[in-house]
């Protein structure tokens, strides 16, 4: 090919291909077709992925693209894409870039005008959420929490009043301390679910309030093995009297003893900064109880 012909050659595409998170039947027909047809597969761990390719009889060459070489080696994959070769990006399991390498390569490819094509499939957090029975219309994915207790607790404090369902990845050797810290920060009663070994032989989904879940995992070392996702229900704002601090209640009660309900709640709102409507409702409840 002459230089000008090469310059005019179409660019290759970067396919971001999800692979199974356990059950090999979860690979899609499209993923197999793409992995067979590309010139090169950029893989997080080439030895790990070689076994997957062997299982499906895919002879496409593999090259390492992991978190330590991704920035430096990105140029190598980019050169292939710019030369017109299609490249697939895979990680050890599930969807690349989701707590896995690939971000830098995808960014570089997009910046260079290369088409980046998602080939969707398994993803542990989505699989867990789809079966958890916790609100799924809005959720946040926190990935892995810090390994050290202080950092982990600080992160949990940060999301303590997050109203959307919370999703975390956790290593099995830290699952118990993670659940115990969640219990300490989010409270005993917050609904939670542990999704362990999804799509595998010992798949377990256990949903309970955090205190019970932590105790259940503490009592059974089998639950401290394998891969896990933890889901926690989002924070629910307390209602009625629970939402009003004891100091605001004290002010309201003092004023109620001296003046009509409407005036007392308006004045208490001015003094405490609590919403007038909320104090009015609480005052009504208080008077009913008398
Ligand atoms: N890219 C993957 C995905 O799409 O889910 C995640 C990779 S991340 C390095 C690995 C973590 O994902 C595990 O530590 C665990 O928290 C979660 N995970 C992966 N496979 C899982 C499975 N079969 N069951 C439960 N959790 C899993």
């Amino acid at each position: 090919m002459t230089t000008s012909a090469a310059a005019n050659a179409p660019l290759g595409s970067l396919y971001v291909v999800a692979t199974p998170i356990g059950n090999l039947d979860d690979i899609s027909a499209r993923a197999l077709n793409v992995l067979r047809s590309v010139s090169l597969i950029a893989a997080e761990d080439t030895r790990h992925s070689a076994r997957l390719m062997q299982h499906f009889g895919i002879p496409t060459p593999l090259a390492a693209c992991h978190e330590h070489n991704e920035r430096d080696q990105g140029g190598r994959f980019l050169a292939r894409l710019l030369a017109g070769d299609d490249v697939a990006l895979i990680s050890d399991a599930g969807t690349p870039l989701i707590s896995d390498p690939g971000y830098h390569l995808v960014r570089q490819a997009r910046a260079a005008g290369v088409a980046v094509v998602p080939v969707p499939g398994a993803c542990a957090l989505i699989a867990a959420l789809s079966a958890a029975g916790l609100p799924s219309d809005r959720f946040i994915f926190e990935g892995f929490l810090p390994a050290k207790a202080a950092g982990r607790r600080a992160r949990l404090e940060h999301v303590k009043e997050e109203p959307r369902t919370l999703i975390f990845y956790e290593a099995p050797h830290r699952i118990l301390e993670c659940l115990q810290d969640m219990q300490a920060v989010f409270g005993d009663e917050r609904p939670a679910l542990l999704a362990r070994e999804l799509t595998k032989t010992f798949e377990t989904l256990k949903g309970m309030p955090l205190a019970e879940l932590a105790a259940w995992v503490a009592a059974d070392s089998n639950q401290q093995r394998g891969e896990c996702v933890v889901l926690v229900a989002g924070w629910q704002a307390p209602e009625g009297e629970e939402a009003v601090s004891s100091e605001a209640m004290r002010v309201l009660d003092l004023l109620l003893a001296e003046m009509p309900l409407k005036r007392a709640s308006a004045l208490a709102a001015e003094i405490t900064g609590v919403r007038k409507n909320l104090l009015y409702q609480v005052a009504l409840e208080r008077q009913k109880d008398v």
Side-chain angles (χ1 to χ4, degrees):
M1 196 186 281
T2 64
T3 316
S4 63
N8 292 332
L11 303 179
S13 295
L14 176 64
Y15 293 91
V16 183
V17 182
T19 56
I21 55 169
N23 189 326
L24 295 185
D25 286 350
D26 287 340
I27 197 145
S28 72
R30 182 169 171 231
L32 291 175
N33 283 337
V34 167
L35 293 172
R36 263 191 205 109
S37 63
V38 294
S39 306
L40 182 69
I41 299 173
E44 181 182 5
D45 177 341
T46 51
R47 274 193 302 180
H48 176 95
S49 295
R51 290 194 289 276
L52 188 73
M53 297 308 130
Q54 200 174 15
H55 177 87
F56 289 112
I58 295 172
T60 311
L62 294 160
C65 177
H66 44 70
E67 59 176 328
H68 304 297
N69 78 352
E70 195 192 337
R71 279 172 199 253
D72 305 336
Q73 289 295 305
R76 175 181 164 204
F77 296 115
L78 203 57
R80 294 287 298 262
L81 289 159
L82 295 175
D85 287 333
D86 288 335
V87 174
L89 169 68
I90 60 173
S91 62
D92 286 356
T95 302
L97 279 81
I98 305 301
S99 295
D100 267 343
Y103 167 71
H104 297 290
L105 178 56
V106 166
R107 260 185 81 91
Q108 288 170 3
R110 291 184 64 83
V114 167
V116 180
V117 184
V119 181
C123 179
L125 78 102
I126 298 296
L129 181 65
S130 72
L134 291 171
S136 53
D137 49 348
R138 288 185 176 78
F139 60 91
I140 62 161
F141 175 53
E142 277 288 310
F144 287 96
L145 286 164
K148 293 198 177 127
R152 185 168 54 232
R153 284 205 177 205
R155 190 69 214 147
L156 292 173
E157 287 288 351
H158 190 74
V159 293
K160 183 179 173 176
E161 295 192 354
E162 166 58 57
R164 292 167 291 184
T165 296
L166 298 144
I167 308 179
F168 304 87
Y169 282 169
E170 191 49 282
H173 61 278
R174 277 196 292 270
I175 189 64
L176 181 56
E177 23 176 336
C178 164
L179 289 171
Q180 288 169 338
D181 281 350
M182 286 178 172
Q183 178 189 346
V185 175
F186 298 149
D188 293 354
E189 299 304 325
R190 185 87 76 97
L193 181 130
L194 173 64
R196 212 174 55 78
E197 293 291 84
L198 290 166
T199 78
K200 304 188 207 178
T201 310
F202 296 107
E203 178 178 86
T204 309
L205 288 100
K206 194 78 175 172
M208 295 192 262
L210 269 171
E212 286 175 46
L213 189 59
W216 181 74
V217 169
D220 180 0
S221 60
N222 284 327
Q223 305 307 331
Q224 299 165 38
R225 298 204 178 109
E227 298 191 281
C228 29
V229 183
V230 180
L231 295 94
V232 181
W235 180 74
Q236 282 196 326
E239 288 170 5
E241 281 191 29
E242 273 183 48
V244 179
S245 71
S246 55
E247 179 54 18
M249 283 306 272
R250 199 178 68 80
V251 172
L252 182 63
D253 283 340
L254 282 173
L255 295 172
L256 278 173
E258 301 297 329
M259 58 189 79
L261 185 143
K262 205 168 168 193
R263 177 86 190 110
S265 38
L267 201 52
E270 263 183 53
I271 296 169
T272 63
V274 177
R275 272 187 308 116
K276 191 165 68 179
N277 283 352
L278 177 59
L279 288 176
Y280 184 75
Q281 289 306 321
V282 171
L284 279 178
E285 293 294 316
R286 292 292 253 202
Q287 288 207 331
K288 258 194 252 159
D289 295 344
V290 176

